[in-house]
Amino acid sequence: MNRIDEKLEPILSEVLSRNAGEREFHQAAREVLESLGRVVAKHPAYAEDALIERICEPERQIIFRVPWIDDQNQVQINRGFRVQFNSALGPYKGGIRFHPSVNLGIIKFLGFEQVFKNALTGLPIGGGKGGSDFNPRGRSDREIMRFCQSFMTELHRHIGEHTDVPAGDIGVGGREIGYMFGQYKRLTNRFEAGVLTGKGLSYGGSRARTEATGYGATYFVQRMLETCGESFDGKRVVVSGAGNVAIYTMEKVIAFGGKIVACSDSGGYVVDEAGIDLDLIKEIKQVRRERIAEYARQKGAGKHYIEGGSIWDVACDVAMPSATQNELSGKDARTLVKNGVQAVGEGANMPSTPDAVEVFRRANVLFAPGKAANAGGVATSALEMQQNASRDSWTFEQTEARLAEIMRNIHDLCADTASEYGAPRDYVLGANIAGFVRVAEAMRALGVV
Ligand code: GLU
């Protein structure tokens, strides 16, 4: 394990006691503080004026009631959150998650990660995150609409093109963004396109935004492999998840010549040694909104569905965890290493536990942390904001070319920073330090605010 620098120890203790019980937030903060020892040793000025303490404290946290009426005419209550973490580099920017596991600690961990991720993109966006413990599974389209409208009825007073720009995350895609944008427009009487990203193409969305997180993660891993004279070509790849990130990761890996042998949803995973049929996955998950077990049922002989269990038991050269936080344990990492994994690219936010990251580090597995590897989604959101501000709309090719360039820059920045701080190929260290330095520079310039 990395040790925390003694100057930073009290800061971590304060974060732990002040945010009691917020396990995921503790985990995210500890990882960043572990990396910062080398920075404060080299540049003590970054530890002045409680700068690191300020970075660990959200600028604002909003918690609100979301009442709505279900199809049985019953009143339901959920809890809504928006954590506006850091606006030193630009308006707060980050997604909204609808999932029953959502609580303040989860939103704070996501918001904290977002601050560094957004800084790595080099684009003018601060960090924030929001969500609700609402469970969209099994809800009708009308129920989803009523929920989104109620959620926005409170959220609208806290957001804006120059203030805070939400987007999607788990459980929030194009449909939900559309309902939220509609309600924002109605409440404010303004067509303020730049207030939300991930919009549909018919009302101000950007081409390639839907694909961006998965494509971006694949570009990042491709570049990482390239620095070792390798590529995706002919590699066995396992991608966990079957949501937006996983689907477009699979699409780009296939385009780069890799073979997807397994993917999953929260019920279990499917293995297809002939290579996953992505069109069928898209049909099942995006159109029919069904469980992935359907894949094996429909394809028949030789396609295995394993209920529960761990997808990381499937041998692969490259693993791309793209489902959710802490989905890949130390034990899973040991299995992957034993089976010869060469590279791991995180499409989800913090999918590997600290134990897993340590296993990969010791085994010299190339490891791309989510805050760098999955930054393509939010980067393309910033490109959507640019298009909205200039009342323009770019082609798919133009947008994807910008995305590819941004991912290459993020990769190289992380790699160069890791080398500069004496730990070549440590992308965790490189991402944390490079993201921190950008935010810290702006915060110092802006004074104690
Ligand atoms: N939810 C995504 C993330 O974790 C995207 C956020 C955005 O586009 O603002 O980065």
Side-chain angles (χ1 to χ4, degrees):
M1 261 319 198
N2 269 348
R3 299 241 354 138
I4 290 247
D5 183 273
E6 60 179 28
K7 278 212 226 44
L8 302 176
E9 232 0 300
I11 302 180
L12 182 63
S13 310
E14 179 77 14
V15 169
L16 302 189
S17 61
R18 210 185 213 160
N19 304 282
E22 296 175 356
R23 201 168 50 87
E24 291 82 3
F25 179 46
H26 296 174
Q27 183 183 332
R30 180 188 297 273
E31 188 211 87
V32 168
L33 291 178
E34 276 173 2
S35 298
L36 295 188
R38 294 182 197 227
V39 185
V40 294
K42 206 164 172 175
H43 305 287
Y46 286 133
E48 287 169 10
D49 292 335
L51 196 141
I52 298 173
E53 287 90 330
R54 280 188 283 145
I55 278 198
C56 294
E57 181 68 16
E59 290 177 20
R60 189 174 299 105
Q61 308 183 49
I62 302 148
I63 304 181
F64 52 95
R65 179 170 73 194
V66 189
W68 57 284
I69 297 172
D70 69 16
D71 286 347
Q72 282 68 47
N73 226 12
Q74 297 297 307
V75 176
Q76 301 281 344
I77 300 294
N78 285 99
R79 189 172 283 179
F81 302 90
R82 187 73 184 166
V83 172
Q84 299 180 328
F85 222 111
N86 195 300
S87 61
L89 295 177
Y92 309 106
K93 181 84 199 85
I96 290 175
R97 176 178 291 192
F98 291 165
H99 192 271
S101 64
V102 163
N103 57 39
L104 183 60
I106 297 263
I107 299 298
K108 274 160 80 177
F109 119 65
L110 290 164
F112 186 72
E113 292 281 291
Q114 200 83 47
V115 171
F116 301 92
K117 181 197 307 193
N118 294 4
L120 288 172
T121 67
L123 297 163
I125 41 179
K129 202 85 185 192
S132 174
D133 55 5
F134 171 68
N135 186 358
R137 176 157 316 148
R139 291 295 176 189
S140 71
D141 198 63
R142 290 300 162 99
E143 289 179 314
I144 300 282
M145 180 172 77
R146 288 194 293 273
F147 179 81
C148 289
Q149 290 176 339
S150 181
F151 185 83
M152 186 51 85
T153 299
E154 174 58 33
L155 187 68
H156 89 280
R157 50 184 119 251
H158 309 291
I159 62 175
E161 179 185 347
H162 301 291
T163 313
D164 183 354
V165 183
D169 196 82
I170 294 172
V172 177
R175 174 180 60 168
E176 292 74 16
I177 294 290
Y179 293 147
M180 287 193 269
F181 185 74
Q183 184 72 350
Y184 182 87
K185 186 172 77 61
R186 181 190 194 189
L187 289 164
T188 58
N189 196 30
R190 283 157 60 89
F191 194 107
E192 190 186 331
V195 71
L196 288 173
T197 61
K199 298 183 295 297
L201 292 181
S202 59
Y203 63 95
S206 171
R207 292 190 178 80
R209 173 63 189 90
T210 311
E211 294 83 356
T213 313
Y215 278 19
T218 313
Y219 279 121
F220 191 105
V221 173
Q222 169 81 355
R223 177 83 178 143
M224 192 164 76
L225 291 168
E226 197 180 289
T227 60
C228 302
E230 293 268 1
S231 77
F232 270 111
D233 203 24
K235 294 249 178 336
R236 285 172 64 90
V237 183
V238 169
V239 179
S240 62
N244 172 267
V245 179
I247 283 178
Y248 293 101
T249 296
M250 294 192 258
E251 187 165 285
K252 195 48 100 181
V253 167
I254 295 167
F256 281 156
K259 180 160 93 170
I260 308 290
V261 288
C263 66
S264 62
D265 66 13
S266 56
Y269 65 94
V270 282
V271 182
D272 189 341
E273 288 293 339
I276 292 279
D277 173 351
L278 189 55
D279 288 337
L280 182 57
I281 295 284
K282 283 186 182 174
E283 164 77 21
I284 292 169
K285 299 308 286 189
Q286 295 181 322
V287 183
R288 289 159 30 193
R289 294 183 193 264
E290 287 175 351
R291 309 304 291 158
I292 215 162
E294 269 301 299
Y295 183 90
R297 206 187 56 75
Q298 216 168 306
K299 282 259 168 182
K303 320 298 172 196
H304 305 291
Y305 171 67
I306 294 95
E307 199 174 311
S310 172
I311 191 174
W312 309 117
D313 290 343
V314 181
C316 61
D317 304 308
V318 181
M320 304 212 39
S322 307
T324 194
Q325 67 273 358
N326 291 330
E327 56 160 306
L328 196 165
S329 67
K331 180 168 172 279
D332 294 328
R334 282 189 287 277
T335 307
L336 283 166
V337 168
K338 185 173 68 103
N339 289 335
V341 75
Q342 291 172 22
V344 178
E346 295 189 325
N349 289 311
M350 206 170 77
S352 309
T353 64
D355 285 358
V357 179
E358 188 55 24
V359 170
F360 294 138
R361 196 194 311 262
R362 291 210 177 146
N364 282 323
V365 171
L366 291 168
F367 178 75
K371 64 169 78 75
N374 75 29
V378 75
T380 308
S381 277
L383 302 182
E384 183 172 333
M385 291 161 73
Q386 271 186 41
Q387 291 169 74
N388 294 151
S390 58
R391 301 192 180 280
D392 196 2
S393 126
W394 309 344
T395 64
F396 194 96
E397 292 68 30
Q398 259 177 301
T399 319
E400 194 186 346
R402 283 289 308 271
L403 167 66
E405 186 195 358
I406 291 167
M407 295 315 297
R408 190 189 176 98
N409 289 341
I410 296 175
H411 171 280
D412 293 358
L413 174 68
C414 295
D416 294 349
T417 307
S419 298
E420 184 189 333
Y421 283 86
R425 296 201 182 284
D426 186 339
Y427 288 90
V428 174
L429 190 95
N432 287 337
I433 294 181
F436 168 80
V437 166
R438 282 200 174 144
V439 180
E441 277 303 315
M443 285 179 72
R444 285 174 69 199
L446 297 176
V448 179
V449 291

